[in-house]
Amino acid sequence: MSKDLINKILITLGFIFLYRLLAYVPVPGVNIDVVKEFFDSNANNALGLVNMFSGNAVERLSIISLGIMPYITASIIMELLAATFPALGKMKKERDGMQKYMQIIRYTTIVITLIQSIGVSVGLNSLTGQSGQGAISIDMNTFIAVSAISMLTGTMLLMWIGEQITQKGIGNGISLIIFAGIVSAIPSAIGGTIDLVNNGQMNFLTVIAILVIIMATVGAIIYVELGERRVPVSYSRKVMMQNQNKRIMNYIPIKVNLSGVIPAIFASAILMFPATVLQGSQNKYLVMIADYLNPSSYTFNLFMFLFVVFFAFFYASITFNAKDISENLKKQGGFIPGVRPGASTAEFLNEVASRLTFWGAIYMGLISTVPWLIVKAMGVPFYFGGVAVLIVVQVAIDTMRKIEAQQYTNKYQTLSAVGL
């Protein structure tokens, strides 16, 4: 590895370490024991899923309890608006416009964070422990102001950390933050499983079966994520002669899963938001809706499948622009054998991408729900979903690819310097 790549990896690890430190900084005026006791009793519902994605920061009521989800929610809103309003979509494509676009996302994140933090603060007012002790140890109005400012600061810090990792480190910063939060819960999950086996609540054969399911899920994800359709490309003789000393890619790689990890993250963010808000409600209708949105329910996983499929199609349509690819091919003197350059090429690429996205979306939906269905049928007493595994494996593959790309870039630069 080059010195530059090592520095990028160290910067990434340093920011992830900072993120994990922030998870242990509680909001002032909170009785952490009462909050932890509450989350221990709700480990298998929506609150447990929120806690997992935050890296157990929620059960400590850390300043980053809301995690990066407000930013993701703001991004979802802006993506939908950009797809609906052409002017906003055009602004996103321009260099100066992209800066304004990101600024709007940041302001939207602030609004969402304040609404959620105030909601959490009000909800904590009615929370009491088994000994009758309250979750808030200071004046309610003061606590709302302090917690809103603390959580807003925490979310802004996470957003900044994500941007710094993307710009100065390796990989997508936001995805790596979610990745670190999920991975940090693995040791406690292993310890909890061992306790269940020792207490006789879980059979050792069940543990082996769960490990087999996890390995099969990981294998399926890796197999599909590395799969791609290579559309052959030919270049005119003139272009080949001009670039005879340069390497020209003679195919267009189109991945089976064009949208990456985004659909699973978006779907989780959308489903967790109402489930979390409705969790403390006493209204029987709202309680019924909260039960339907419980991660251990069939309706939650049905919605998860549908949302993942929807966002897979939606995000693939944004990230894969067949018109731009066809225009660039035409400018470079390239063409797909048997397909006319221009509009016909764009139509052909769109058709190929649509077919691949269909199967990619079905695969993501099944990976997000089928492992849970199998584990549920086995009678396992805790929540296990494929979304966490999907995010962890996809982020790991994406980061590995970026490290390899950086290594190849450094090799080419070294060879060019030697040749000069």
Side-chain angles (χ1 to χ4, degrees), residues 99-235:
Q99 294 179 353
K100 294 179 182 178
Y101 181 85
M102 293 305 297
Q103 201 65 24
I104 295 172
I105 290 179
R106 293 188 187 100
Y107 288 137
T108 309
T109 302
I110 291 173
V111 174
I112 294 173
T113 303
L114 287 174
I115 293 172
Q116 290 187 353
S117 60
I118 292 171
V120 170
S121 303
V122 173
L124 285 172
N125 188 40
S126 59
L127 183 63
T128 55
Q130 292 181 351
S131 59
Q133 198 174 14
I136 301 173
S137 57
I138 59 175
D139 177 67
M140 182 60 188
N141 293 328
T142 305
F143 176 74
I144 290 176
V146 170
S147 64
I149 293 171
S150 300
M151 290 184 185
L152 177 61
T153 303
T155 299
M156 291 298 104
L157 278 171
L158 282 188
M159 194 167 64
W160 177 78
I161 288 172
E163 290 177 352
Q164 293 302 306
I165 291 175
T166 302
Q167 293 172 7
K168 300 178 181 178
I170 287 286
N172 183 290
I174 302 301
S175 298
L176 280 171
I177 287 174
I178 298 174
F179 170 88
I182 296 172
V183 170
S184 67
I186 291 178
S188 61
I190 293 173
T193 304
I194 293 172
D195 290 339
L196 289 173
V197 173
N198 292 336
N199 296 333
Q201 294 180 321
M202 184 183 293
N203 194 317
F204 185 72
L205 293 176
T206 304
V207 176
I208 295 175
I210 292 173
L211 290 175
V212 170
I213 293 170
I214 293 173
M215 295 302 295
T217 304
V218 170
I221 294 170
I222 292 174
Y223 179 78
V224 176
E225 289 301 316
L226 297 180
E228 62 185 21
R229 165 77 183 276
R230 296 183 174 183
V231 179
V233 175
S234 295
Y235 290 88

Side-chain angles (χ1 to χ4, degrees), residues 1-2 5-6 8-10 12-13 169-171 176 395-411:
M1 289 187 186
S2 66
L5 179 57
I6 292 173
K8 287 185 176 182
I9 293 174
L10 291 176
T12 303
L13 293 175
I170 287 286
L176 280 171
V395 173
I397 291 173
D398 181 61
T399 306
M400 178 192 71
R401 281 175 169 169
K402 288 181 178 176
I403 291 174
E404 289 178 348
Q406 185 70 37
Q407 286 178 313
Y408 285 127
T409 302
N410 293 332
K411 286 180 181 179

